[in-house]
Amino acid sequence: MMSATVLPSPPTQSERQTTVRQMWEGGPLRSWSSIKSSKAPLGYKNGFVGSYVCAVCLEPCDGVYLIREGSRWLCGPCKAEVCSR
């Protein structure tokens, strides 16, 4: 008997409308949406912000660290890699 292939569900409307924006000049990246969703729950300048986004791997994360060398906001794993060099 063959097993069925499970396909991922298509993205929701709010997931398609989520972009990444820099919060201010020199500031961290965050996911941003024009509509409120679970991925962008906090109101900010005519939209809603969600998770922080690492400037190196561009993955969403719970928080970012400012690395003075290069003035970049990085997630924990990217920070550890940069600081270990």
Side-chain angles (χ1 to χ4, degrees), residues 15-79:
E15 290 172 331
R16 285 191 298 268
Q17 293 179 356
T18 301
T19 60
V20 174
R21 290 192 177 181
Q22 187 172 29
M23 297 310 296
W24 61 85
E25 188 176 333
L29 300 174
R30 291 196 78 166
S31 60
W32 186 91
S33 177
S34 60
I35 58 173
K36 188 173 184 177
S37 71
S38 61
K39 293 194 179 280
L42 303 172
Y44 182 81
K45 291 190 178 181
N46 300 321
F48 298 89
V49 295
S51 300
Y52 287 98
V53 176
C54 176
V56 172
C57 66
L58 298 177
E59 292 292 326
C61 53
D62 291 335
V64 289
Y65 302 89
L66 175 61
I67 304 300
R68 300 261 179 225
E69 184 179 307
S71 296
R72 297 180 297 172
W73 295 84
L74 309 181
C75 66
C78 288
K79 173 187 176 260

